[in-house]
Amino acid sequence: MKTRITELFGIRHPIIQGGMHHVGYAELAAAVSNAGGLGIITALTQPTPEDLAREIARCHQMTDRPFGVNLTFLPSFNAPPYPEYIDAIVQGGVKAVETAGRSPEQYMPQFKAAGIKVIHKCTSVRHSLKAEKIGCDAVSVDGFECGGHPGEDDIPNFILLPRAADELTIPFVASGGMADGRSLVAAMALGAEGMNMGTRFLATKEASVHDNVKRAIVKADELQTRLIMRNLRNTERVMNNAAVQEIERIEKEKGESESIDDIRHLVTGAKGRLVLQEGKMDEAAWSCGMVAGLIHDIPTCDELIQRIMSETEFIVRERLAQFLNG
């Protein structure tokens, strides 16, 4: 399949693996890229820029196909050494970066000088337009369904994607609720030129997360996620568990007076690792999309992507075509 996204990143299929904290390691990124998609290493999962450089080198050993790096820009008071992380990306020969969080504007000259293509994650049309204005090559449009941070507008992809298509001139992919060939066809019908998947790639054989996490996703339906940190205007969609129920209790009790310190012990990255890597499922909140309701198995990345593309072709050539020919 050929779209502006496949052309931009030099990939066979318009499928991108989203950058996920404590998930986006070389094993998963290489598996996605080898299957024809765009695998993504998560930069800030690596403790230092030197660690990221080593992870990039490991990924190059596992695949000769394009892969990218996710770089999330956090609030300035908690900022990692971004120039050094970017230097590791440049020196590692990576040509695609997925940015997220705050605007990457101040770092765009560094990316551009290195010939790196930038796709920025946005939860609104206004942020997508800003990404286009500052020179991003593409946008990942995150609907309200997504795991992690869906923004504060609560607009689902059935509205957000065609709105983005109406306003943008750069290509964009759909993120949030993406799982299979139906997702890809629907996203493209609404104006996207590919899709980004996070939760779906969590439940693959190559994802470096505990089997308890993968089984929880397969077992879950679309009703199992919760929204936390709404009072803090830092909303996150997470899988329901004991930690999340405690967060909900605290948030109900504190109301508008809630601060991050009230729930920090249940949302830290260190606690999140206990869930993702050790399988202690009630230790912390962990990001998960509503799309868990569409995930019923744990395939390899290659099996998943080939299945998605076969489904996509069948839907377009057979199912939809019959309505025109009827």
Side-chain angles (χ1 to χ4, degrees), residues 131-283:
E132 179 177 84
K133 182 178 180 181
I134 67 174
C136 291
D137 301 280
V139 174
S140 179
V141 177
D142 260 24
F144 184 56
E145 307 93 328
C146 73
H149 298 280
E152 307 302 321
D153 294 340
D154 300 359
I155 308 298
N157 268 330
F158 221 77
I159 305 300
L160 191 58
L161 297 178
R163 280 286 296 118
D166 287 345
E167 300 284 348
L168 293 170
T169 59
I170 58 174
F172 66 93
V173 299
S175 184
M178 302 292 117
D180 52 31
R182 296 173 298 181
S183 309
L184 181 54
V185 173
M188 296 181 77
L190 294 173
E193 296 192 41
M195 67 180 180
N196 176 300
M197 300 193 301
T199 303
R200 173 65 270 200
F201 277 123
L202 266 176
T204 58
K205 290 192 175 5
E206 293 91 349
S208 299
V209 299
H210 198 279
D211 281 346
N212 288 352
V213 175
K214 299 178 185 183
R215 287 195 292 266
I217 293 171
V218 170
K219 182 180 178 182
D221 61 24
E222 68 277 12
L223 303 175
Q224 299 308 307
T225 67
R226 298 291 185 269
L227 295 171
I228 61 172
M229 297 193 286
R230 302 230 80 175
N231 294 338
L232 304 176
R233 293 193 63 77
N234 187 31
T235 300
E236 183 176 4
R237 185 178 297 281
V238 296
M239 179 69 85
N240 188 24
N241 64 9
V244 169
Q245 291 164 21
E246 174 63 7
I247 291 169
E248 290 180 319
R249 185 194 67 76
I250 294 169
E251 294 190 324
K252 183 176 181 181
E253 177 183 293
K254 294 284 184 177
E256 294 300 316
S257 68
E258 178 189 359
S259 74
I260 187 63
D261 290 332
D262 294 320
I263 60 171
R264 190 185 300 276
H265 61 294
L266 297 169
V267 297
T268 63
K271 279 293 192 77
R273 283 197 298 274
L274 292 177
V275 176
L276 294 171
Q277 296 175 4
E278 297 184 27
K280 297 178 179 179
M281 300 305 293
D282 288 316
E283 285 293 320

